[in-house]
Amino acid sequence: MKLIPPLEITDAVLQSSTVPETVALWAAGTTYTKGMLVRRQQTHRVYESLVDGNAGNVPETSLTGTPPKWGDVGSTNRWRMLRTDSNVQTEAPGSLTVVLKPGRRIGALGIVRLQADHIEVTTSDGFNFSESLRARTVRRWSEYFWSPIQYRGSVLLLNLPRSTNAIVTVKLTRQSGPVKCGPMVLGMPVDLGVTQQGARVGSRDFSTSSRNFAGDATLLPRKDIPRTTQNTILDPAQADAVRIALRAQRARVGLYTGLEDAGHPYFDALAVLGIATNWELNLDPTLTTLNIDLEGF
């Protein structure tokens, strides 16, 4: 299992992006009606007007009050894939390219919630990764002809050159339909041991159901949160480094990957962008085990 604590991607880190923004910038001289959306370049976030006749109120400083003038909807389309505060996808027609200059050593790159045909990752110090994301799982002859094309939803690279001043370029392409990309995480990976058999996955479902007097059900689908419990085995010499790394992640989002092979059928199920809600190291003179509960967004 690997933990990648995310590098914060700021304006200084993002060198360029081909992703279009889909919401207009806020203008001080414009009067907004309730429900209208605006974008702020300073925060790279989208805001929704909560009142009619909304003029001259800077969105990020008007989120409180009686009544509040603006509500924070989340990151803009370009920045959704560059932040880990939600699991909403960035969308771009056909392809997208982002160029990043981390400014410090990184060794890993992980992307979740991908919808693309192909990915290419290059760095200015000679690293080059290019791979198709199209896949088919064929178990019998009929599926060879009729099973639909599937797509890998995640990518994990753990062998990036650890150069201080490297520039990283990520390009995603799709033959038909928009490219969709969830959060992208760059950082130095932390080894949490070898994941053992018996890992459990599930979800925390916030959907609701109710019934009327006749017993008819009304179902309201809401967000479900991925959850997993995994156990790893590690060398006792790693125990202190693991303990320090997990304590440093308190109230911080990280990318946890139970497996290192993003092509494995269990990879997506055991990969969580989220938080460790509970963890415990069991210490033994010859063997250390980690039990960890993870909850995504």
Side-chain angles (χ1 to χ4, degrees), residues 11 13-19 78 82 97-100 169:
D11 287 313
V13 173
L14 179 62
Q15 304 297 290
S16 65
S17 172
T18 63
V19 176
R78 179 173 296 172
L82 303 175
T97 301
V98 294
V99 181
L100 306 168
T169 301

Side-chain angles (χ1 to χ4, degrees), residues 202-245:
S203 70
R204 183 179 176 189
D205 191 358
F206 286 86
S207 301
T208 61
S209 63
S210 60
R211 294 185 181 273
N212 62 16
F213 70 95
D216 298 322
T218 299
L219 305 179
L220 180 61
R222 297 184 185 273
K223 192 172 184 179
D224 70 313
I225 306 300
R227 303 177 71 180
T228 177
T229 295
Q230 301 179 45
N231 297 292
T232 74
I233 293 178
L234 54 146
D235 189 286
Q238 297 176 255
D240 209 41
V242 168
R243 180 181 62 84
I244 292 171

Side-chain angles (χ1 to χ4, degrees), residues 25-282:
L25 287 168
W26 174 79
T30 300
T31 299
Y32 296 95
T33 58
K34 186 177 181 180
M36 293 184 69
L37 299 177
V38 298
R39 168 173 56 96
R40 286 284 283 166
Q41 189 69 23
Q42 292 82 347
T43 63
H44 303 300
R45 298 187 75 81
V46 174
Y47 302 90
E48 180 180 353
S49 178
L50 302 180
V51 296
D52 290 321
N54 194 352
N57 300 300
V58 179
E60 64 267 31
T61 61
S62 304
L63 301 176
T64 58
T66 309
K69 303 296 191 300
W70 293 96
D72 188 337
V73 178
S75 295
T76 67
N77 186 46
R78 179 173 296 172
W79 283 81
R80 288 170 189 163
M81 65 179 289
L82 303 175
R83 290 177 168 168
T84 58
D85 57 352
S86 74
N87 215 359
V88 181
Q89 295 167 303
T90 285
E91 293 192 27
S95 68
L96 69 82
T97 301
V98 294
V99 181
L100 306 168
K101 187 176 182 180
R104 64 177 176 87
R105 289 185 176 88
I106 59 170
L109 180 149
I111 308 177
V112 297
R113 296 204 66 206
L114 263 176
Q115 286 182 250
D117 291 324
H118 191 271
I119 181 171
E120 183 177 357
V121 180
T122 59
T123 69
S124 57
D125 48 7
F127 178 85
N128 194 318
F129 173 83
S130 180
E131 190 167 270
S132 171
L133 299 176
R134 295 161 64 95
R136 295 178 71 191
T137 301
V138 177
R139 295 171 296 173
R140 56 182 65 91
W141 71 268
S142 59
E143 292 179 350
Y144 180 84
F145 295 99
W146 307 114
S147 63
I149 296 293
Q150 297 176 332
Y151 298 88
R152 284 173 47 191
S154 304
V155 168
L156 177 66
L157 302 178
L158 296 170
N159 56 343
L160 270 63
R162 303 188 179 190
S163 304
T164 303
N165 296 314
I167 296 176
V168 181
T169 301
V170 179
K171 182 177 182 179
L172 297 166
T173 57
R174 193 173 184 186
Q175 295 179 1
S176 177
V179 170
K180 297 182 181 181
C181 182
M184 179 168 61
V185 176
L186 293 166
M188 290 295 290
V190 179
D191 187 6
L192 301 183
V194 179
T195 304
Q196 301 300 292
Q197 292 183 0
R200 302 191 304 276
V201 299
S203 70
R204 183 179 176 189
D205 191 358
F206 286 86
S207 301
T208 61
S209 63
S210 60
R211 294 185 181 273
N212 62 16
F213 70 95
D216 298 322
T218 299
L219 305 179
L220 180 61
R222 297 184 185 273
K223 192 172 184 179
D224 70 313
I225 306 300
R227 303 177 71 180
T228 177
T229 295
Q230 301 179 45
N231 297 292
T232 74
I233 293 178
L234 54 146
D235 189 286
Q238 297 176 255
D240 209 41
V242 168
R243 180 181 62 84
I244 292 171
L246 290 175
R247 291 194 67 189
Q249 283 299 116
R250 289 178 300 163
R252 294 177 181 269
V253 174
L255 178 59
Y256 297 83
T257 62
L259 299 173
E260 297 182 16
D261 178 9
H264 193 284
Y266 288 167
F267 181 86
D268 284 347
L270 298 180
V272 174
L273 177 68
I275 58 174
T277 57
N278 185 55
W279 61 269
E280 182 180 70
L281 283 168
N282 301 301

